[in-house]
Amino acid sequence: MAATVSWEGLRELAGFRAEKGRAISFYLNLDPRVSPTAGDVATRVNSLLDEAGKRAIAARTDLTHDQRVSLKADLDRIRSYYEMEFSRDGAHGLAVFSDGLDNFWRPLPLTAPVDDEIKINDEFYLTPLVPLVGRGEGALVAVVGRERGELYRLRGGRLDEIADRTEEQHGRHDQGGWSQARYQRHIENLVASHLRRIADELDQRVRRQPSARVVVVSSEETRAEFAEMLSGAVRNAVVGWTQAEAHATPPELMDLARPVLEGWYEQREKEALERWREEAGRHGRAASGWAETLEAASDGRVEQLLYQQGVQHAACRCPACGRLSVSGGKCPLDGTELEHRDEGLDLAIHQTIAHGGTVFAVMHQQDLAAVEGIGALLRY
């Protein structure tokens, strides 16, 4: 089953640094359009791993005998994991993080495709995971009607039912000896009680999973009544409402919920950029461009790193304290010679996450194009 990528998980990966061995970050695209057959994927896996091993050994003449042996063993373990243990069910991508000498192994089936890539360094390569955080995985979908009451959780790109509170109500014409008005009130009371039970169930689920986003599927008639019953916690978690056919299946519900969740993510993107533009415009708590952003990340001042999806830039890092710079020379803090690194964005992501910040991959707007594709909202 594909896993949820969380900030907590990213912080754990960002906190790792190889001491004895080498940190391997392996990414595999499992989009059916790219990998239609198992044989196609296996060929790409073998090619990625074989080429990575050759490149790493050729580039690092300082590798010890133990590191060379461990590196080969780690690459073979990734190959064996894919062939013998990995299940593609619900996964559109795969990430594996490994360093045998430092006793680290973390396979991570992903809910969305990632580009084929493998990096071998002293820390894990995290950039491909950032766009997957908060993109709907773990969201709750509530299907609410006069009789229907189902709760689903989005896992691995599909909806899993977690509660069914569907209750058959008596038809309005089955009134027997009751007066029409009295019978109608009785039915409406039953429906209200039914909706209340669903609202209470949803409240309990949201309180157990505070970060969850909620999509409600209901008719306009039901929406008005149900919305009044929602707790404050649930109201804050609801990202949108939509409608479905009376007997919509989970795949059909997923097709309806996905654009609602994407719309919410795009709105978050707009809000973050608006805040950044405002702060940058008055020279407030914002950084613009690589030089300012890398400096702020090194100082632990970045609250939220913003970057244009696909942006690339080299950077320099102090091997002693980790401070980042766009240019080489000596570290201003300890005088150590700075190392050139091609993955400047990944270095900025590591520094931001390590200091408790978050990162936003901008996909729909072009506001950052004028500032080299990167900026940040700052704590101070």
Side-chain angles (χ1 to χ4, degrees):
M1 178 64 70
T4 300
V5 181
S6 66
W7 289 121
E8 291 74 15
L10 279 185
R11 286 193 179 93
E12 182 181 356
L13 291 170
F16 175 85
R17 190 173 178 85
E19 296 181 0
K20 301 176 183 177
R22 305 297 294 160
I24 300 176
S25 307
F26 172 82
Y27 290 92
L28 182 66
N29 190 345
L30 294 173
D31 188 328
R33 295 169 295 183
V34 177
S35 314
T37 69
D40 294 330
V41 184
T43 299
R44 286 177 24 239
V45 169
N46 289 325
S47 176
L48 273 170
L49 295 173
D50 290 343
E51 183 61 28
K54 294 175 184 176
R55 285 202 321 265
I57 291 174
R60 294 299 298 259
T61 57
D62 60 338
L63 290 177
T64 66
H65 174 73
D66 286 347
Q67 286 175 332
R68 290 171 182 267
V69 171
S70 179
L71 185 60
K72 182 180 184 305
D74 283 340
L75 294 172
D76 287 343
R77 184 177 182 184
I78 294 172
R79 193 192 321 269
S80 177
Y81 167 78
Y82 176 78
E83 294 174 351
M84 307 297 294
E85 300 178 54
F86 173 66
S87 172
R88 192 169 171 176
D89 183 29
H92 293 272
L94 172 67
V96 181
F97 304 96
S98 180
D99 178 359
L101 279 181
D102 291 298
N103 197 31
F104 195 102
W105 170 258
R106 180 74 50 80
L108 196 62
L110 304 172
T111 61
V114 289
D115 291 336
D116 289 352
E117 202 161 13
I118 186 165
K119 301 280 189 180
I120 301 174
N121 220 305
D122 52 2
E123 70 275 310
F124 294 127
Y125 181 64
L126 304 182
T127 300
L129 296 183
V130 170
L132 306 186
V133 182
R135 293 305 295 269
E137 184 70 6
L140 300 175
V141 176
V143 185
V144 184
R146 292 177 66 89
E147 294 185 348
R148 194 171 181 181
E150 298 160 2
L151 292 182
Y152 297 87
R153 178 173 285 119
L154 176 55
R155 290 191 182 117
R158 64 189 182 191
L159 294 180
D160 291 342
E161 186 176 272
I162 57 175
D164 188 349
R165 297 293 179 264
T166 299
E167 302 175 74
E168 184 176 355
Q169 307 293 352
H170 295 293
R172 299 188 181 190
H173 60 282
D174 298 329
Q175 65 188 61
W178 293 31
S179 69
Q180 180 66 32
R182 182 183 176 197
Y183 187 73
Q184 182 63 32
R185 286 195 301 272
H186 172 67
I187 293 299
E188 295 306 321
N189 286 337
L190 289 177
V191 171
S193 296
H194 162 68
L195 296 179
R196 170 59 64 190
R197 282 189 283 272
I198 301 172
D200 290 344
E201 176 75 29
L202 193 53
D203 179 69
Q204 293 174 23
R205 298 281 177 174
V206 168
R207 291 184 185 279
R208 289 202 293 266
Q209 189 185 345
S211 62
R213 301 296 95 191
V214 177
V215 176
V216 183
V217 182
S218 73
S219 67
E220 286 296 328
E221 178 186 10
T222 302
R223 171 178 176 172
E225 185 174 359
F226 186 64
E228 294 181 356
M229 298 179 179
L230 298 178
S231 67
V234 175
R235 286 198 190 98
N236 291 335
V238 171
V239 298
W241 300 69
T242 188
Q243 299 183 51
E245 296 295 329
H247 302 289
T249 64
E252 291 169 335
L253 293 169
M254 184 69 243
D255 288 341
L256 293 169
R258 185 179 290 113
V260 174
L261 290 165
E262 283 299 316
W264 168 75
Y265 188 86
E266 186 173 352
Q267 182 59 34
R268 287 181 59 215
E269 179 180 299
K270 289 180 180 177
E271 291 170 356
L273 287 171
E274 286 173 5
R275 185 181 161 205
W276 171 78
R277 284 198 305 269
E278 180 182 343
E279 291 288 345
R282 59 187 180 87
H283 303 290
R285 292 183 296 177
S288 302
W290 284 95
E292 287 185 13
T293 303
L294 292 180
E295 180 181 5
S298 298
D299 293 336
R301 294 187 288 125
V302 173
E303 175 188 327
Q304 186 171 55
L305 179 69
L306 304 169
Y307 71 89
Q308 203 80 44
Q309 177 76 333
V311 70
Q312 298 288 343
H313 200 286
C316 295
R317 186 188 70 167
C318 174
C321 70
R323 189 167 186 81
L324 307 179
S325 172
V326 290
S327 58
K330 295 186 181 296
C331 176
L333 299 184
D334 53 40
T336 305
E337 192 71 27
L338 300 179
E339 298 177 333
H340 177 86
R341 295 284 296 275
D342 292 331
E343 302 88 3
L345 176 60
D346 203 64
L347 294 175
I349 288 171
H350 270 77
Q351 285 283 12
T352 298
I353 295 174
H355 288 97
T358 59
V359 187
F360 207 111
V362 177
M363 301 180 184
H364 304 93
Q365 312 295 320
Q366 297 298 318
D367 299 61
L368 297 173
V371 292
E372 305 175 287
I374 195 166
L377 289 162
L378 306 180
R379 297 188 177 97
Y380 56 91

